[in-house]
Amino acid sequence: MTAVKQRVEDSDIDPNFKYELANILGEKALLHCFQCGTCTSSCPVADDVDIKPHQVIGMTLLGLKGKLLQSKTIWLCAACLECAENCPRGVRSFYLQSVLKNLAARANNLPEGIREEGEIILTTGLAIPISSGILKRREKLGLPDLTPPAAETFQKIAEVTGLASLLSKKGGKEK
Amino acid sequence: MMDYALFLGCIIPYRLPQMEAAARKTLQKFDVNLHEMQGAGCCSDPAATPALDYKAALAVAANNICIAEEMELNILNLCNGCFHSLKLSNETLKNKPRLKEQINEILAHVGKEFKGTINIRHLLEVMYKDIGLERIKDKIKTPFNDLKVSVHYGCHVLRPSNVLNVDDPLRPESLDRLVKVTGAESIKYMQKMNCCNYCVRVVDKDISLKLSAGKMKQVKQAQADCIVLLCPGCFMQFDLSQKEIIRLLEEEMFSIPVLSYSQLLGLAMDIPAKELGFQFHRVKLKKLFEKPALFA
């Protein structure tokens, strides 16, 4: 049973949702989707999600904001950009889904893996920790010493964009 | 002489320094001058930061671009992910003045300003378009004779093609031709253009490995001797996780070495394997190659 086939109540619908998203995206292509399913057929994870990429667009157009923002499957994405590349209507589904994720994260729907990744990037400036073993490998390969990034710069960006408080909530709770 | 600000990102310098060593060693032979970017950090990651907040992602990317703008140099990326993040952000901010203004307001807090004065390049473009096959051919000392290569481009050097503009997103040929110039054969195989699914890992590791297994099976069926790729994310998936992936196929255990393009080229240029960092690969490749002397 897919999510779009479930009964929809009037109260589930936010008719302005699609305009809100088109506005954030800065383009109206989203409104031109004719549900051909090219995005879904080119998506590597389509078999593993219960709301398929074209259904995400369909539900957006219907205004099913709450259902989408609480969905776990909008987060399962290979970021391969096939959907954005192949759409005959110029709907860049990947970017639409990114904006949905931005909103979902603020609605307390944020997978722990993504939160952790975001936290390490925006507190240290690097996506992975520096290990002494790798630094030894660098030395053996004759590679130059690296200056690690200024962590404060990344922390400041997180603070100004309101991400800092979001990222510090482990499992949705304040640490 | 070509001069570039070298953007390393995170995975290459801090997890797979062999990719960096091979790129530096080979680029040097083509008079490409690399300048270090002091204070550069994560590119913003094509998957994580944009999923959290697109403006934060643009600011993180732009902060790095500003460093190269101050150096008055174009950026050279070795990593597909970094190339994607930086080029997409650079082009977006160049073309959307209102967004640029908003991002510059964020950057003002860290004492930076995005101006839009430089371009973002990937190693693949520089090798294929700037240096060119002819010059590469001239530097090859011992071409491969009988080496079957599964070429894997990686998503973030190709898509979205209207912005990245590196090669045809459906039938690219730059990396295939760069492989052929070393004497190796770029074989046809099913799922060649499929994603490695590394980015799925942070959300669901099982699904990520299962999807990679499908591709690995095709590489095996096509009887490839090795995989040649560009992106450290794909490298992590196919080299570091190869055992886990193959276990999912429920077949007899096998192994297929993984090389970055610079490593393959380095071997063809007779650079010793140790200098190219093959000792740090999880899947060992000593036996498969025709150049035992380089592995001594």
Side-chain angles (χ1 to χ4, degrees):
Chain A
M1 187 66 139
T2 57
V4 277
K5 285 182 185 153
Q6 286 165 16
R7 191 186 164 90
V8 172
E9 305 292 341
D10 280 0
S11 56
D12 296 332
I13 293 174
D14 176 350
N16 288 319
F17 189 47
K18 59 187 171 190
Y19 302 116
E20 190 188 321
L21 291 178
N23 192 30
I24 298 175
L25 283 163
E27 58 192 28
K28 287 188 181 149
L30 154 71
L31 310 174
H32 305 157
C33 170
F34 53 27
Q35 290 286 292
C36 66
T38 302
C39 47
T40 296
S41 65
S42 57
C43 173
V45 300
D47 285 345
D48 296 288
V49 291
D50 56 12
I51 307 175
K52 315 291 177 202
H54 73 285
Q55 292 173 325
V56 168
I57 305 172
M59 287 170 72
T60 302
L61 295 175
L62 279 172
L64 299 175
K65 181 176 179 174
K67 277 196 187 343
L68 278 172
L69 297 191
Q70 289 314 313
S71 143
K72 295 280 170 234
T73 57
I74 56 167
W75 289 98
L76 196 72
C77 169
C80 70
L81 281 293
E82 288 277 12
C83 54
E85 183 72 43
N86 297 320
C87 176
R89 302 291 278 170
V91 184
R92 301 184 308 151
S93 174
F94 170 75
Y95 300 95
L96 166 68
Q97 206 149 320
S98 294
V99 174
L100 287 172
K101 288 177 207 164
N102 287 186
L103 299 172
R106 280 158 185 76
N108 257 332
N109 172 12
L110 174 59
E112 186 55 18
I114 300 271
R115 191 201 63 79
E116 272 176 14
E117 180 98 10
E119 190 184 22
I120 179 171
I121 292 172
L122 291 161
T123 51
T124 68
L126 290 171
I128 49 175
I130 302 177
S131 87
S132 56
I134 298 288
L135 293 182
K136 265 187 213 131
R137 285 184 190 184
R138 293 188 62 83
E139 216 181 294
K140 278 185 193 153
L141 289 165
L143 291 170
D145 287 340
L146 297 172
T147 330
E152 317 80 66
T153 301
F154 289 76
Q155 290 160 7
K156 192 77 196 172
I157 291 173
E159 185 196 312
V160 181
T161 53
L163 268 184
S165 59
L166 184 75
L167 293 174
S168 62
K169 285 182 196 167
K170 194 169 185 176
K173 291 179 197 104
E174 295 280 0
K175 252 195 274 190
Chain B
M1 186 68 91
M2 281 181 269
D3 284 80
Y4 281 103
L6 177 66
F7 186 81
L8 290 167
C10 308
I11 308 184
I12 289 185
Y14 295 113
R15 193 58 73 74
L16 303 169
Q18 63 267 36
M19 289 182 78
E20 180 185 336
R24 285 184 191 268
K25 289 245 152 67
T26 47
L27 284 169
Q28 205 179 35
K29 311 256 182 193
F30 298 103
D31 301 326
V32 178
N33 234 348
L34 300 172
H35 300 261
E36 310 302 321
M37 287 177 68
Q38 304 293 343
C42 172
C43 66
S44 83
D45 182 334
T49 323
L52 291 161
D53 188 277
Y54 74 98
K55 281 187 192 163
L58 282 169
V60 166
N63 171 58
N64 289 316
I65 296 170
C66 290
I67 296 174
E69 285 184 347
E70 280 161 29
M71 296 163 76
E72 297 181 8
L73 287 171
N74 291 329
I75 289 179
L76 173 64
N77 292 282
L78 308 179
C79 166
N80 290 15
C82 299
F83 171 65
H84 180 268
S85 304
L86 296 188
K87 180 142 187 182
L88 217 61
S89 305
N90 199 39
E91 298 303 315
T92 304
L93 295 175
K94 277 184 184 180
N95 293 314
K96 296 195 171 174
R98 245 191 68 209
L99 195 54
K100 178 178 149 185
E101 223 171 87
Q102 292 171 356
I103 299 304
N104 272 334
E105 275 169 29
I106 301 172
L107 289 175
H109 291 272
V110 295
K112 293 239 169 66
E113 188 195 351
F114 175 88
K115 297 192 179 75
T117 51
I118 61 153
N119 292 316
I120 312 292
R121 312 290 308 278
H122 188 280
L123 178 71
L124 176 65
E125 297 174 281
V126 171
M127 295 303 293
Y128 186 66
K129 295 180 184 168
D130 300 359
I131 297 171
L133 296 175
E134 280 306 308
R135 277 185 67 202
I136 296 175
K137 202 173 180 178
D138 287 345
K139 295 275 182 202
I140 285 175
K141 295 237 170 80
T142 332
F144 293 101
N145 255 324
D146 182 26
L147 183 72
K148 294 190 183 70
V149 172
S150 272
V151 166
H152 173 82
Y153 282 82
C155 304
H156 296 128
V157 74
L158 295 173
R159 291 181 290 270
S161 61
N162 60 340
V163 182
L164 301 186
N165 199 19
V166 172
D167 204 339
D168 186 321
L170 296 172
R171 287 181 193 81
E173 54 177 27
S174 49
L175 185 55
D176 298 82
R177 295 180 74 176
L178 284 167
V179 164
K180 279 180 210 159
V181 93
T182 68
E185 183 191 352
S186 165
I187 58 166
K188 283 185 182 163
Y189 68 105
M190 296 269 284
Q191 297 198 15
K192 177 176 173 180
M193 295 312 297
N194 281 24
C195 172
C196 76
N197 292 289
Y198 176 71
C199 290
V200 180
R201 273 183 96 111
V202 280
V203 181
D204 194 319
K205 189 178 169 193
D206 293 341
I207 292 178
S208 163
L209 295 178
K210 179 193 82 179
L211 294 168
S212 297
K215 179 149 186 160
M216 208 63 207
K217 190 174 182 166
Q218 297 301 333
V219 172
K220 169 79 179 353
Q221 277 183 2
Q223 298 181 322
D225 295 319
C226 62
I227 299 172
V228 168
L229 42 68
L230 300 161
C231 172
C234 309
F235 194 108
M236 299 272 284
Q237 191 80 339
F238 291 127
D239 181 69
L240 271 66
S241 301
Q242 189 173 114
K243 256 195 180 153
E244 280 178 274
I245 289 173
I246 292 173
R247 216 169 278 141
L248 292 173
L249 291 174
E250 295 178 352
E251 285 178 13
E252 214 176 297
M253 208 56 195
F254 60 92
S255 70
I256 297 178
V258 178
L259 294 82
S260 74
Y261 177 69
S262 302
Q263 288 182 309
L264 180 83
L265 180 62
L267 285 179
M269 290 164 78
D270 283 358
I271 298 175
K274 259 198 180 142
E275 291 181 28
L276 300 169
F278 288 117
Q279 65 274 36
F280 304 126
H281 287 219
R282 191 151 302 169
V283 181
K284 300 296 173 202
L285 66 168
K286 214 167 179 171
K287 284 172 280 179
L288 275 163
F289 287 80
E290 308 151 11
K291 297 166 180 288
L294 295 181
F295 286 90

